[in-house]
Amino acid sequence: MKFYYTILFIGLLVGTFSCSGSSKKTDEKIDLKPYKTGQNKFVLTHMNGKLLDKNAEFRIHENQWELDMKNGDKVYFDIISKDEMDPLCGIKTVDSFKDTCEICATVEEDKASINLIYAKGTMTYDGYFDK
């Protein structure tokens, strides 16, 4: 529950974020090649530019993604729609707290970034993709 309030507080600090774009709702599995579901993970070292006390993990599963803060807090994201052209961005989800969230992950060489885009703000996690 403490993590949920942290999310809300950070969201309020970041400000209102409006997201435009279309995502086609589908029941198809998300093609995450070369990202193997459940086996590979994002290791997150920073949140909104600040070093995390412990590295967090963001795991990709077929229809549910998981953010494990490694302090007992976990947030699950159930995928409800996706961007057909980009399997790691434009992912519309509902999190464990029943809030809608769009996820956009980017991977460039040895760096990775995860944006969790909520109606009240965006949280940006930085780190690397662990193969």
Side-chain angles (χ1 to χ4, degrees):
M1 194 64 158
K2 181 180 174 185
F3 180 71
Y4 179 69
Y5 290 118
T6 302
I7 290 173
L8 288 177
F9 177 73
I10 291 169
L12 291 172
L13 288 177
V14 173
T16 304
F17 182 87
S18 64
C19 180
S20 63
S22 62
S23 292
K24 186 177 178 183
K25 188 171 182 174
T26 179
D27 291 330
E28 296 174 351
K29 292 181 181 176
I30 294 173
D31 181 18
L32 294 171
K33 296 174 186 169
Y35 309 101
K36 297 176 185 170
T37 63
Q39 295 177 10
N40 297 327
K41 65 185 177 247
F42 291 91
V43 177
L44 308 173
T45 58
H46 292 77
M47 181 179 76
N48 293 338
K50 295 188 180 192
L51 184 66
L52 295 171
D53 291 335
K54 291 183 180 180
N55 288 351
E57 291 182 358
F58 193 80
R59 291 192 179 269
I60 298 172
H61 302 285
E62 287 184 38
N63 292 312
Q64 185 182 70
W65 292 7
E66 171 189 359
L67 174 61
D68 183 351
M69 296 303 295
K70 296 297 183 186
N71 63 2
D73 292 330
K74 289 185 181 181
V75 180
Y76 297 93
F77 300 88
D78 292 317
I79 297 171
I80 55 176
S81 68
K82 63 178 181 156
D83 182 335
E84 297 290 333
M85 303 307 283
D86 190 349
L88 292 176
C89 202
I91 309 295
K92 304 280 186 188
T93 68
V94 174
D95 70 14
S96 306
F97 305 103
K98 306 295 183 215
D99 292 320
T100 58
C101 175
E102 182 175 327
I103 298 172
C104 186
T106 57
V107 179
E108 292 181 20
E109 296 180 19
D110 62 340
K111 295 180 183 179
S113 181
I114 305 280
N115 289 307
L116 302 179
I117 306 162
Y118 287 90
K120 297 212 179 226
T122 300
M123 289 183 294
T124 300
Y125 290 91
D126 296 306
Y128 59 93
F129 188 71
D130 187 18
K131 294 183 182 182

